[in-house]
Amino acid sequence: MKLGMGIGPFGPPGGARLVQMAQEAESLGYDTIWAPEIYGADCFTPLTWIAAHTERINVGSSIMQISARTPASAAMHAVSLDYLSNGRLILGIGVSGPQVVEGWYGQPYPKPLARTREWIAIFRQIVSREGPVSFDGNHYKLPMPGGTGLGKPLKLILHPVRERIPVYLGAEGPKNVALGAELCDGWIPMFLSPYRMMDMYADAMRIKNSDFEIAAAVPVIVDDDVDRALGQIKQNVGFYVGAMGAKSFNVHKDHITRMGFGEEADHVQKLFMAGRRDEAMAAVPSELCDEISLVGPRERIRERLQAWKESPVTMINVGTGNPQTLRFMAEELL
């Protein structure tokens, strides 16, 4: 089992906190530092900052939203960072949801699986440098038809330090996860239960290859008061179920429903949309939160780690800003 760490909040301007946490994780033997991208900071800038202040630890995006950049733009970002970090980048990508894609990036959301498939194909072509890139898809066309008519297939000028940059897919739905198992090098799941994943993602688990990485985000809270720790997990789950999507379309709520908590998810969303946020958070099932996290006294966390070890998960991305918790997890797993 490998360990990763999400960077969390930046801290004060200047990035000193990011460097301190990354260097601590590197010294403990962590495999990857992950940076998110929603509608705040981009993912590449903090990863570049971290890579410049570390030597061995990988840097990963969790996740770079494909609507934010064309495949060519993302390839140039990825190849540049991979080059400067001596081959340490893991490119985590995902489609996000329509609120962000259409509301923030001004791009169309429909048919996300087909768009992802085309995006990955173009990205791979660019990084491989096998020749000038042309592509005639339903969502992407290179060169662009029409316009001046002067566009022509081009080839990446910079020679990548690696012929293949690992691409992981951030996904929750079974079809999306199966797409990742087919086309990608790894999967970045959210709200994952090691007790339910084999049933929920049976198709993906059948088609993945032996080198396929599963890097699961797992909040870790060392606290003698289990209920208090679970309360922090409820805040996060409740926000995604209640706010990160519309009433008629919320991929996170759908995911929680597939896990067997459909009635509870409906209730949480209704409370949240009625402005009753505290009640919404309290209504998130404790059983769900306990399955997707590692909370409680150290002895309890040690016991519950066994389910993760027995699952197909290959990397636990420790969700914490506490150096003592980072060290505890390293002692237990590394």
Side-chain angles (χ1 to χ4, degrees):
M1 180 74 75
K2 300 175 184 176
L3 285 177
M5 184 194 78
I7 62 171
F10 280 7
R17 177 193 171 276
L18 300 184
V19 172
Q20 181 181 9
M21 293 294 290
Q23 290 177 342
E24 174 71 8
E26 182 175 64
S27 70
L28 291 170
Y30 278 63
D31 183 86
T32 306
I33 299 287
W34 299 92
E37 180 172 84
I38 306 176
Y39 43 93
D42 76 290
C43 59
F44 287 110
T45 303
L47 293 179
T48 303
W49 186 254
I50 289 168
H53 290 85
T54 54
E55 297 178 358
R56 301 176 306 278
I57 198 164
N58 292 318
V59 289
S61 55
S62 64
I63 57 172
M64 190 215 81
Q65 301 178 16
I66 66 172
S67 296
R69 300 167 186 84
T70 64
S73 174
M76 290 192 295
H77 278 75
V79 168
S80 298
L81 178 49
D82 199 55
Y83 190 96
L84 295 173
S85 66
N86 288 313
R88 289 192 278 151
L89 175 66
I90 299 172
L91 184 67
I93 65 169
V95 296
S96 189
Q99 284 186 318
V100 173
V101 172
E102 297 179 357
W104 186 245
Y105 295 117
Q107 300 295 315
Y109 183 78
K111 299 189 182 300
L113 270 71
R115 283 190 296 114
T116 301
R117 183 179 291 275
E118 290 188 10
W119 196 100
I120 292 172
I122 298 171
F123 178 86
R124 296 286 198 208
Q125 282 188 41
I126 293 172
V127 175
S128 70
R129 292 191 81 252
E130 292 180 355
V133 177
S134 61
F135 192 86
D136 185 22
N138 293 319
H139 302 274
Y140 298 98
K141 294 182 184 294
L142 291 173
M144 185 188 79
T148 64
L150 300 176
K152 66 176 185 179
L154 298 173
K155 185 177 179 180
L156 184 70
I157 296 174
L158 177 63
H159 288 250
V161 69
R162 291 186 288 177
E163 294 181 357
R164 183 180 177 94
I165 293 175
V167 175
Y168 291 12
L169 186 65
E172 292 173 288
K175 291 182 179 178
N176 254 344
V177 178
L179 180 73
E182 175 192 351
L183 299 179
C184 298
D185 305 286
W187 168 37
I188 305 173
M190 183 179 184
F191 300 151
L192 183 71
S193 166
Y195 308 96
R196 303 171 191 260
M197 64 178 295
M198 290 302 294
D199 291 332
M200 291 181 64
Y201 302 111
D203 289 343
M205 295 302 103
R206 279 195 295 267
I207 65 176
K208 72 180 182 67
N209 62 52
S210 59
D211 296 326
F212 189 75
E213 296 275 10
I214 301 177
V218 183
V220 181
I221 303 173
V222 180
D223 191 333
D224 289 338
D225 189 328
V226 175
D227 290 335
R228 179 171 59 198
L230 287 175
Q232 297 183 48
I233 311 301
K234 290 185 178 190
Q235 294 285 322
N236 188 41
V237 176
F239 177 75
Y240 274 89
V241 171
M244 291 297 283
K247 182 178 181 180
S248 60
F249 188 89
N250 183 319
V251 295
H252 310 294
K253 177 176 173 289
D254 292 344
H255 173 60
I256 299 303
T257 297
R258 284 190 295 270
M259 294 179 72
F261 299 94
E263 292 184 9
E264 295 89 339
D266 286 338
H267 186 51
V268 169
Q269 185 187 62
K270 288 177 182 177
L271 289 171
F272 202 99
M273 290 188 167
R276 298 157 63 180
R277 291 196 172 195
D278 290 344
E279 293 178 62
M281 304 307 185
V284 176
S286 295
E287 179 186 359
L288 164 66
C289 295
D290 206 14
E291 288 188 17
I292 65 173
S293 65
L294 288 166
V295 304
R298 295 189 175 202
E299 295 76 15
R300 184 177 192 271
I301 291 176
R302 287 191 185 100
E303 292 175 1
R304 296 183 70 82
L305 265 173
Q306 191 60 36
W308 292 95
K309 293 177 181 179
E310 294 172 357
S311 77
V313 170
T314 60
M315 183 189 301
I316 289 179
N317 294 332
V318 179
T320 184
N322 187 309
Q324 287 75 33
T325 302
L326 287 179
R327 183 170 294 276
F328 165 65
M329 291 297 289
E331 291 170 350
E332 293 301 316
L333 290 175
L334 303 180

